[in-house]
């Protein structure tokens, strides 16, 4: 019979987590909580998406992402991080249903508000790292209601030009930028946006971005 000379060496699988959060005190508290977990390795911490991208972190990890960042923000920030091969867990002060739907439609795997405690954030990190989704129970009803509305509603089709405009909105472009990209006037861009809003029911930029992804409209790089 084999005899063990000491305790069994159990290696805990590490989850690589990066944090993109522009509030320094909350970022520090979040990093501290993550660092205390035995199965989490904290990588890049940054105050903006531009700063995060400059470090070129290896893909495949979990990125905890705030939505209200300087520069690229909201659903466009989710798109950027997901496009780099990371799994996004949004942790935001904003829990409006429009923000939740737009972020999830843009590719986020989870969404929490900053009212969430450390235990729930760690639980969400582990779920997202395992390839699952996690939305706090208070926000999950938004996704369920949205699913019901999509099943019950009739979706009006967009014209080719409206799809182009919507794709540029999803890429984070302003009305002036869209006008220059399509060689049309700003007034024409806003006219297209009015028709898109009438057809989709989406109003704010975040809602329009979510609608673009639901319709399979990929923003230009």
């Amino acid at each position: 019979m084999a005899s063990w000379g000491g305790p069994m060496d159990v290696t805990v699988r590490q989850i690589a987590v990066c944090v993109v959060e522009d509030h320094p005190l909350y970022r520090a508290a979040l990093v501290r909580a993550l660092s205390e977990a035995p199965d989490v390795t904290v990588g890049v911490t940054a105050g903006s998406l531009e700063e995060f991208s400059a470090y070129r972190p290896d893909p495949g990890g979990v990125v905890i992402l705030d939505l209200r960042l300087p520069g690229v923000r909201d659903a466009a920030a989710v798109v950027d991080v997901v496009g780099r091969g990371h799994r996004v867990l949004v942790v935001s002060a904003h829990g409006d249903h429009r923000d939740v739907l737009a972020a999830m439609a843009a590719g986020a795997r989870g969404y929490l508000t900053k009212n969430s405690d450390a235990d729930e954030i760690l639980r969400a990190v582990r779920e997202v790292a395992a390839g699952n989704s996690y939305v706090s129970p208070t926000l999950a009803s938004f996704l369920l209601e949205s699913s019901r509305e999509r099943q019950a509603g009739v979706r009006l089709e967009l014209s080719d030009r409206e799809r182009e405009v919507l794709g540029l909105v999803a890429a984070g472009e302003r009305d002036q930028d869209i006008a220059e990209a399509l060689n049309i006037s700003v007034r024409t861009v806003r006219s297209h946006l009015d028709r898109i809003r009438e057809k989709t029911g989406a109003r704010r930029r975040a809602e329009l971005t979510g609608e673009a992804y639901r319709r399979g409209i990929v923003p230009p790089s």
Side-chain angles (χ1 to χ4, degrees):
M1 180 176 294
S3 173
W4 297 99
M8 184 181 296
D9 180 17
V10 178
T11 302
V12 178
R13 175 181 171 272
Q14 292 295 295
I15 302 170
V17 180
C18 297
V19 177
V20 186
E21 160 64 56
D22 68 331
H23 194 291
L25 291 179
Y26 186 82
R27 184 171 67 242
L30 189 55
V31 169
R32 184 167 57 250
L34 291 167
S35 299
E36 291 174 354
D39 56 342
V40 171
T41 299
V42 179
V44 173
T45 64
S48 69
L49 199 55
E50 182 180 12
E51 183 184 353
F52 170 76
S53 301
Y55 284 102
R56 299 182 180 275
D58 293 334
V62 177
V63 175
I64 296 179
L65 180 70
D66 186 19
L67 290 181
R68 300 298 192 263
L69 295 167
V72 181
R73 55 189 286 168
D74 297 324
V78 176
V79 173
D80 188 291
V81 177
V82 170
R84 297 174 188 275
H86 306 285
R87 293 171 176 170
V88 171
L89 169 61
V90 172
V91 179
S92 174
H94 302 273
D96 184 276
H97 75 279
R98 299 178 184 87
D99 293 314
V100 177
L101 295 177
M104 297 301 284
R109 302 300 296 268
Y111 199 114
L112 298 173
T113 66
K114 289 184 177 177
N115 292 328
S116 304
D117 60 23
D119 287 342
E120 185 172 23
I121 292 174
L122 284 168
R123 184 160 59 250
V125 164
R126 290 169 181 135
E127 287 293 327
V128 170
N132 303 319
S133 297
Y134 188 96
V135 178
S136 63
T138 55
L139 303 179
S141 60
F142 298 154
L143 300 179
L144 179 60
E145 185 62 30
S146 176
S147 176
R148 288 172 177 166
E149 289 174 355
R150 287 199 301 273
Q151 292 173 7
V154 177
R155 191 173 73 171
L156 297 177
E157 292 302 319
L158 302 178
S159 69
D160 290 344
R161 179 61 92 186
E162 288 164 354
R163 288 176 66 87
E164 286 181 311
V165 170
L166 189 56
L168 288 164
V169 169
E173 302 292 350
R174 301 170 304 167
D175 291 357
Q176 181 65 46
D177 300 323
I178 295 171
E180 293 175 1
L182 300 180
N183 197 27
I184 57 178
S185 69
V186 173
R187 182 175 180 179
T188 301
V189 170
R190 289 171 180 164
S191 178
H192 285 308
L193 287 171
D194 286 341
R195 287 197 294 274
I196 292 169
R197 290 185 173 104
E198 289 173 3
K199 290 182 177 181
T200 64
R203 297 298 169 191
R204 298 193 308 172
R205 292 307 245 220
E207 293 178 82
L208 290 168
T209 297
E211 187 65 30
Y213 285 94
R214 282 191 289 274
R215 290 173 178 260
I217 300 173
V218 180
S221 301

